[in-house]
Amino acid sequence: MKAFAIALLLIASPVLAEPPTPPDVPLSNPVQEQRAKAVMAELRCLTCQNQSIADSNAAQAQAMRMEVRERIAAGEEPEAVRAFFVERYGDWVSFVPPAREDTALLWAAPLLFLGIGVALVARRFRR
Amino acid sequence: MIPELGHLALWLAASFALLQAAAPSIGLWKRDEALAALARPAALAQALLTLGAFAALTWAFWVSDFSVKLVAANSHSQKPDLYRFTGVWANHEGSLLLWVLVMALAGAAVALVPTALGERFRVRVLSVQAFVSLGFFAFLLLASNPFERLVPAPTEGQGLNPLLQDPGLAFHPPLLYAGYVGLSVAFAFAVAGMLENAVGPAWARATRPWVAGAWALLTLGIALGSFWAYYELGWGGWWFWDPVENAALMPWLAATALLHSIAVVMKRDALRAWTLLLAVAAFSLSMMGTFIVRSGLLTSVHAFAVDPTRGLFLMLLMALYIGGALTIYALAAGRVAEGRQFALVSRESALVANNLLMSAMLGVVLVGTLYPMALEAAGGAQISVGPPYFNRTTLPMLFVAAVLMGIAPWLGWRRSGTGHLAARLLPAGVAATGIVILALLLFGIRGIGALLGFAAAAWLGVASLSILLRRGVTLNIAGMAVAHLGVAVSILGATASGALQQEALVAMRVGDAIEMGPWRAELKDVRPVAGPNWTAIEATLDVQRNGRPVATLKPQSRMFVAPPQETTEAGRAGWWGGELYSVLGKPDGSGRWQIHLWVKPLVRLIWWGGLLMAFGGLLALGGKLRLPSRVRTVAQEAVA
Amino acid sequence: MKGKRLIWLLPLLLFAGLVALMANHLGAPQQQVIKSHMVGKPLAEFALEGVAGAPGLALVDLKGGGPVLVNIFASWCLPCAVEAPQLQALKDRGATIHGIALRDEPADVAGFLARHGNPFTRIGQDPGGRMMLAFGASGVPETYVVDAQGVIRYQHLGEIRAEHVDLLMAELEKAK
C-alpha cells in the first residue's frame, strides 16, 4: 500500500530531479585559493562514500566548498575553518583525526610498532 | 545445458579438493604412502574440472545466456566484446570462481614442479592448500552459485556498472587475486613447514619463488588499480588511503617484508619463526582484505556490491583458516629455533630493518583503517581517519626505508666492513644533493617533504643503477636492484607530480582560454558524441606551451544506457612522462562550461615505477643465473 | 620460559580480537548517519527571503514565540512529499512550523505546496544550501525543534512518519 502511494506521488510530481548546482568559483587570490583547497581536501563529504568535499560532485559538498572559500577569503585561518565544520558535524567531518585521549593509541601507533620491533630485534644482535 | 555441466564440474572439483585434503592427512598419519600420493592426481583433476567450470561460465557470458541469473544481472547483449568476457569476474560469484580457479592452477603447479623437499612435504603442502580451497568451494557452491538459473529468462540483461567497463579495471582484480593465491601457496608451505618441522634454508628456497611471483602480481595489480582510479574517478588523485586500497596494500606490505626475511632464512638460517609468521600473515591479510571489500564492513569510495550474509561466511572461513594456522604457529613456533644472531652492520641486519619498517607501516595502516570502527564499538566518538593521518605516519618511514635501501645491497652477509661504502655510495650522494639544489634554485620548491622526496628518489635510484652496472650480477641481484629502482621512480613521480602540479578551475565559453604559466588551453568546442552504449557531451581543448601546440584534450561527461548512470571521463594527454589532465564540469546556464585543468609533471612515473618493481620481482625468480656475464662472453667470442 | 611461550600465542590473541571487532560491526549500515552536533547550541544570525507568497524566515522569527519546528524540504525530494500529511497533523495539533526550501526554484516550491499542502507559517529560501551548515543538517528532509532562545533542542533525520508525530509533539513540549 505504502509502495503504491509512493508510486502515485512519483507520477504526480512533475520534477523530482535535484536542480544542478552552480559551478565552483575559485578565489581570485591564488594563495587563498591554495589554502582553501588544502582545507577542502581534508573535509569529508557528508552524503558520499568516503570522499573529500574537494573530490565530490554532491550538491552539499559544493555548499561546503563555498563556505570554505568565503571563510578563507575573509581571512580565517584554515584551522578555524576546520573547527567550524567540526562544531557542526563532529570529528567525523574532518579527515584529520583529533589529537585527544581517545585517539592517543592511533597517533602513537607508528612509534609503538617501531618500539616493539626494536625491542624484539635487540636481543638478536651479537655484541 | 552447459551451465549445468559447469555446475557439475564445480561439484566434482570440490570433491577432488576434499580427496586432496584428506588423503595426505590420513596417509601420512597411517604411514600409507600410496594413499598420501593420491594428492597429486587429485590436484590435477581439480584444476582441470575448475577450468571446465570457468569455461562454462565464460561461455554463458559470451553468448549472453540471460537464463543464467548471474549473466542477466551483470551483462547486456549490447556490451562490447571485451566486457562481455571480463564481466565473468566483475561480480561476486564470478570473481570467487576465478579465485578458486587460480588456486587450483597453483595446486597443479605445486603437484608438477620438481621439489627438493621430498614427496612427503609436497603432499603435505597440497593437503593444506586443498583445505583452504575447500572453504572457497563451499562458499561458492552453497552461498554464491554462479550457475543459478533465472525462470523465466529475461530478454535483456541489466548491464554492467559503467565504471567497471574499462580495460584497467577488467584486469586489476585477476592480478590481485593471482597475487593473493600465490601468497596462499606460501601460506601452505609455512603450515606444512610447521607440521613437518622442515623450516630451514631448503624450505626458504622452495617458498621464495611463490612469494616473489605473488609479490610481483600484487604490485602490478595495485599499480593498475591506482592508475585506473586516477583516470576514471576524475579527480586526478591516484591514491586515496581508502579502506579498499588499504585492504590491498596490507598484504603487499606483508609480502614485501616476507620477501626480504625469507632471504635471511635462505642465506643465514635465521629469523625462522618471524618468517613463518609473515607467511601466515600475508595470506591472512589477503583474506581479510577480500572480506573487507566484499562485506561492506567499511565505507569506501570504490563501492562494491556488498552482502553482509556472505560477509559472515567469509568471516567464518577466515576465522577457521587463520585461527587454525595461528594455533599451529603458537604450538610449533617455540620448537622452531630463531637461528643465529647477527652483527649490527651486516646484510641481514639491514633486511631486519626493512622488516621492521614494513611491519610498522603495515601496523599503522591496519590501525588507521580499523580505528574508527573500534572507537565506535567502544562507544566513543565517530571519527574519520584519512589521507592526512596516513601520509604523516607512513611517509617518514618510507623515507628511512628508501635511504636504507640505497645502502643495504652494499653490505656483506655475517659481518660487513664499512670502508667501501663511502666510495660506492658517492654517486648516489652527489645525485641526492644535486637534485635538492636543483629543486631549490630552479623550481623554487621550499616544502621540506618534497625536497626529502626528491633526495630519496635520486639517492635510491642512482644507488640501484650502480648495482645494475656492476659486472656479472646474478638475476637475483639484478631483480632486487630493478625493484628498488622502481621504488625510486615511483617516489620521483609521486613527489614531482605533487610539488610541481599546476591547476586551474575556470568557467569558460567556447573560444575562451586558460593561461597557466607557460600553458594556454583554449576551449574549441563542446558537443554531443555517441559511443557503443553511451552518449556524452565532449569538450575539445587545444593546449599550447610557450605558443606551440602540444595536445588536444577531449574530456567527456558520459551518460550510459544500461544501467543509466553518469560518469566523467577525463581528457588526458601525455607530456614528458607527465600529463595534462582535464575534466568537463557543469554548464552554468549562461553558455559557460566549468573546466578543471591540471598539469601533472612526471605523474606517469608512479606507475612505471610499479611496473619496474613487478619486473624486478619476476627477474628475481631467475635466481643464480648470470645473464649479463654470458652476454659478455658471447660478445667477447664474437670479437675474437 | 613460560613468558616466552605466551609470545607465540600473541598473534592468535590479536587475531581473535580483530575477528571479534569485525563480527561486531558486520551488517551495520554502510552509510553512517551523521547527527547534527548543533543540538543544544544556539543558531547563528540568519535572514532568508520568503517564497511562494509566504513571509521569509530569520533568526528573530524563531526567538521569543516559544518552541517551533523548522523543516528543511525541497520540491525535488520524494520523502518530503511523503511526510507532508504528518506535517499537517503536527500543525493541526498546534505546532508552529517554519520551512526552509533547499536549492529550489520559487515556482517549483509553489507547485509543491499546491500539491501537498502548506503547513508552514514562514518559508525561507535557501538557494545555495548554506542553511544545512547552520543547522548541521546532512540531508533532506530534516526537522528541528528550536526553542524560544533560538537554541536547537532536537533533530529529526529523514521523513516524519505517522509514528513520529507524538514524538515530535513531546519534544516541542520539552523545549518549552
Side-chain angles (χ1 to χ4, degrees):
Chain A
M1 190 55 219
K2 193 170 250 167
F4 178 69
I6 291 174
L8 261 189
L9 275 169
L10 259 174
I11 297 162
S13 320
V15 204
L16 270 172
E18 199 174 337
T21 50
D24 275 79
V25 183
L27 295 174
S28 49
N29 179 337
V31 177
Q32 286 187 335
E33 173 68 11
Q34 197 77 27
R35 212 176 282 166
K37 276 263 152 69
V39 176
M40 291 174 207
E42 296 187 344
L43 288 175
R44 188 166 179 170
C45 166
L46 296 164
T47 47
C48 326
Q49 307 269 359
N50 200 26
Q51 276 181 16
S52 76
I53 60 168
D55 291 340
S56 167
N57 293 326
Q60 201 184 351
Q62 153 98 48
M64 288 168 76
R65 285 197 293 266
M66 214 187 290
E67 185 80 30
V68 170
R69 284 204 173 99
E70 263 174 36
R71 284 178 180 270
I72 291 287
E76 251 182 59
E77 285 302 310
E79 248 343 285
V81 179
R82 200 207 319 280
F84 168 84
F85 284 96
V86 170
E87 195 201 335
R88 274 152 182 76
Y89 295 105
D91 301 315
W92 188 89
V93 79
S94 167
F95 272 126
V96 189
R100 272 196 320 237
E101 278 163 35
D102 60 350
T103 55
L105 208 57
L106 177 69
W107 284 110
L111 290 179
L112 203 66
F113 286 122
L114 284 174
I116 293 173
V118 168
L120 283 177
V121 162
R123 36 187 201 110
R124 307 289 325 147
F125 287 114
R126 199 161 45 204
R127 248 146 272 267
Chain B
M1 187 57 195
I2 286 185
E4 275 68 32
L5 283 177
H7 195 193
L8 180 68
L10 210 52
W11 273 105
L12 287 175
S15 324
F16 276 109
L18 182 62
L19 177 67
Q20 186 187 331
S25 308
I26 301 170
L28 292 181
W29 175 45
K30 297 268 187 201
R31 295 173 190 284
D32 181 345
E33 275 178 30
L35 181 61
L38 281 179
R40 285 180 73 183
L44 297 177
Q46 185 202 330
L48 284 176
L49 285 162
T50 316
L51 201 59
F54 191 80
L57 188 64
T58 309
W59 184 83
F61 268 88
W62 190 252
V63 301
S64 293
D65 180 356
F66 296 127
S67 69
V68 176
K69 196 173 160 194
L70 191 67
V71 181
N74 292 291
S75 198
H76 193 277
S77 57
Q78 283 169 33
K79 212 162 63 165
D81 285 352
L82 175 68
Y83 305 119
R84 252 190 300 150
F85 175 61
T86 64
V88 176
W89 61 72
N91 56 74
H92 167 79
E93 287 84 354
S95 64
L96 209 61
L97 182 58
L98 179 70
W99 176 297
V100 170
L101 172 68
V102 183
M103 218 153 169
L105 293 177
V110 171
L112 291 174
V113 173
T115 170
L117 292 167
E119 238 8 77
R120 187 187 159 91
F121 190 82
R122 187 211 295 269
V123 294
R124 185 64 92 180
V125 169
L126 284 175
S127 157
V128 175
Q129 246 197 326
F131 265 115
V132 178
S133 300
L134 261 182
F136 285 90
F137 272 118
F139 188 23
L140 198 55
L141 288 166
L142 304 178
S144 9
N145 177 11
F147 296 108
E148 200 177 324
R149 291 284 194 176
L150 193 58
V151 182
T155 50
E156 189 51 275
Q158 289 166 15
L160 175 69
N161 182 345
L163 282 179
L164 302 183
Q165 298 189 23
D166 178 279
L169 206 65
F171 297 105
H172 159 69
L175 280 170
L176 274 190
Y177 280 9
Y180 291 165
V181 169
L183 292 180
S184 87
V185 180
F187 172 87
F189 270 85
V191 172
M194 289 191 279
L195 291 175
E196 296 291 313
N197 205 5
V199 181
W203 171 87
R205 252 189 299 282
T207 312
R208 187 169 176 273
W210 290 101
V211 180
W215 181 84
L217 291 169
L218 274 183
T219 308
L220 270 185
I222 292 174
L224 193 60
S226 154
F227 185 49
W228 171 81
Y230 164 78
Y231 70 74
E232 189 69 19
L233 293 185
W235 317 317
W238 51 274
W239 191 264
F240 305 95
W241 293 105
D242 182 86
V244 164
E245 295 165 12
N246 293 349
L249 183 64
M250 287 192 276
W252 184 86
L253 285 169
T256 310
L258 177 59
L259 196 56
H260 290 83
S261 81
I262 217 163
V264 180
V265 182
M266 217 162 84
K267 294 276 186 184
R268 300 281 292 134
D269 197 10
L271 289 188
R272 287 192 212 144
W274 171 246
T275 303
L276 281 175
L277 184 60
L278 278 179
V280 171
F283 178 58
S284 304
L285 289 163
S286 312
M287 274 189 82
M288 208 172 86
T290 315
F291 165 70
I292 287 176
V293 171
R294 294 287 160 192
S295 65
L297 192 68
L298 297 166
T299 313
S300 163
V301 59
H302 309 287
F304 272 86
V306 294
D307 184 340
T309 353
R310 283 174 182 162
L312 189 66
F313 205 122
L314 259 178
M315 197 176 73
L316 290 177
L317 280 187
M318 194 170 80
L320 183 70
Y321 293 133
I322 306 175
L326 288 176
T327 307
I328 295 175
Y329 183 80
L331 297 172
R335 273 191 285 134
V336 182
E338 268 296 29
R340 302 194 185 87
Q341 290 196 313
F342 320 132
L344 191 58
V345 180
S346 62
R347 176 77 67 82
E348 48 268 50
S349 78
L351 291 170
V352 168
N354 153 292
N355 267 243
L356 244 167
L357 289 165
M358 291 301 135
S359 313
M361 279 160 97
L362 170 59
V364 166
V365 176
L366 183 70
V367 167
T369 308
L370 297 179
Y371 205 87
M373 198 167 90
L375 195 59
E376 222 183 316
Q382 278 185 325
I383 65 165
S384 298
V385 178
Y389 170 81
F390 291 107
N391 287 337
R392 279 174 217 181
T393 51
T394 57
L395 293 187
M397 289 197 254
L398 182 63
F399 175 76
V400 175
V403 172
L404 282 177
M405 279 156 77
I407 304 171
W410 303 104
L411 294 174
W413 293 96
R414 287 161 203 275
R415 180 184 290 281
S416 175
T418 47
H420 65 296
L421 285 183
R424 299 270 189 238
L425 288 169
L426 185 67
V430 170
T433 319
I435 202 171
V436 169
I437 293 173
L438 203 70
L440 273 172
L441 299 184
L442 203 63
F443 297 108
I445 292 168
R446 292 290 177 274
I448 185 79
L451 291 175
L452 288 177
F454 280 122
W459 165 264
L460 179 55
V462 172
S464 308
L465 272 178
S466 42
I467 293 169
L468 279 175
L469 294 177
R470 293 180 77 198
R471 285 154 182 270
V473 288
T474 59
L475 281 186
N476 211 345
I477 301 284
M480 178 267 291
V482 169
H484 285 183
L485 181 63
V487 176
V489 169
S490 287
I491 294 179
L492 180 62
T495 311
S497 66
L500 302 173
Q501 170 175 294
Q502 287 175 288
E503 178 182 2
L505 175 61
V506 187
M508 55 205 298
R509 268 176 243 281
V510 172
D512 288 355
I514 311 174
E515 305 269 357
M516 188 165 65
W519 302 93
R520 183 175 190 277
E522 187 181 338
L523 184 60
K524 282 287 186 196
D525 192 15
V526 179
R527 63 166 163 194
V529 291
N533 53 349
W534 47 264
T535 55
I537 298 170
E538 183 181 87
T540 305
L541 280 164
D542 274 352
V543 186
Q544 297 181 334
R545 188 183 145 82
N546 294 328
R548 285 222 301 273
V550 284
T552 301
L553 306 176
K554 292 184 179 291
Q556 292 178 344
S557 174
R558 267 188 205 174
M559 272 72 69
F560 278 82
V561 187
Q565 192 172 334
E566 223 176 300
T567 69
T568 54
E569 290 289 308
R572 300 158 44 233
W575 184 78
W576 283 85
E579 285 209 350
L580 299 158
Y581 189 106
S582 63
V583 172
L584 173 63
K586 297 163 187 157
D588 73 344
S590 64
R592 293 191 301 179
W593 295 82
Q594 177 118 341
I595 301 280
H596 207 155
L597 178 74
W598 288 266
V599 180
K600 295 169 176 287
L602 301 187
V603 69
R604 286 187 179 170
L605 292 190
I606 296 168
W607 307 292
W608 282 116
L611 270 181
L612 270 179
M613 282 188 242
F615 178 61
L618 295 179
L619 266 187
L621 292 176
K624 289 233 177 274
L625 286 178
R626 285 174 202 272
L627 207 60
S629 60
R630 208 174 288 163
V631 172
R632 198 173 306 118
T633 333
V634 173
Q636 279 162 358
E637 278 168 12
V639 172
Chain C
M1 194 60 216
K2 203 153 200 194
K4 243 185 163 178
R5 285 260 169 80
L6 277 180
I7 275 196
W8 306 120
L9 208 57
L10 209 59
L12 184 63
L13 296 178
L14 283 176
F15 174 69
L18 269 183
V19 170
L21 174 65
M22 294 191 203
N24 173 50
H25 196 79
L26 198 65
Q30 253 222 322
Q31 181 70 55
Q32 292 127 304
V33 176
I34 304 308
K35 290 201 190 103
S36 171
H37 279 58
M38 288 301 287
V39 176
K41 294 178 191 162
L43 280 162
E45 208 61 58
F46 71 90
L48 301 175
E49 283 182 23
V51 64
L57 185 66
L59 183 62
V60 287
D61 302 321
L62 301 178
K63 283 185 176 173
V68 294
L69 290 176
V70 177
N71 177 251
I72 301 180
F73 74 100
S75 69
W76 43 264
C77 140
L78 178 61
C80 301
V82 173
E83 73 175 357
Q86 282 71 254
L87 282 176
Q88 193 57 50
L90 283 161
K91 190 191 178 191
D92 293 345
R93 288 173 62 175
T96 305
I97 310 174
H98 299 307
I100 293 178
L102 184 74
R103 289 195 295 270
D104 231 334
E105 294 296 326
D108 293 338
V109 177
F112 178 82
L113 297 176
R115 274 195 305 281
H116 304 291
N118 182 357
F120 302 117
T121 309
R122 290 170 170 274
I123 303 178
Q125 232 196 123
D126 181 21
R130 305 285 283 279
M131 288 312 291
M132 303 276 279
L133 301 179
F135 282 83
S138 53
V140 59
E142 288 190 16
T143 308
Y144 292 81
V145 175
V146 181
D147 71 12
Q149 280 73 49
V151 174
I152 297 179
R153 299 290 291 270
Y154 182 76
Q155 176 195 28
H156 181 88
L157 283 150
E159 76 276 8
I160 303 167
R161 299 184 174 223
E163 61 266 32
H164 298 140
V165 172
D166 285 340
L167 194 95
L168 279 166
M169 286 310 292
E171 289 295 336
L172 274 173
E173 194 57 38
K174 262 201 269 174
K176 264 189 183 152

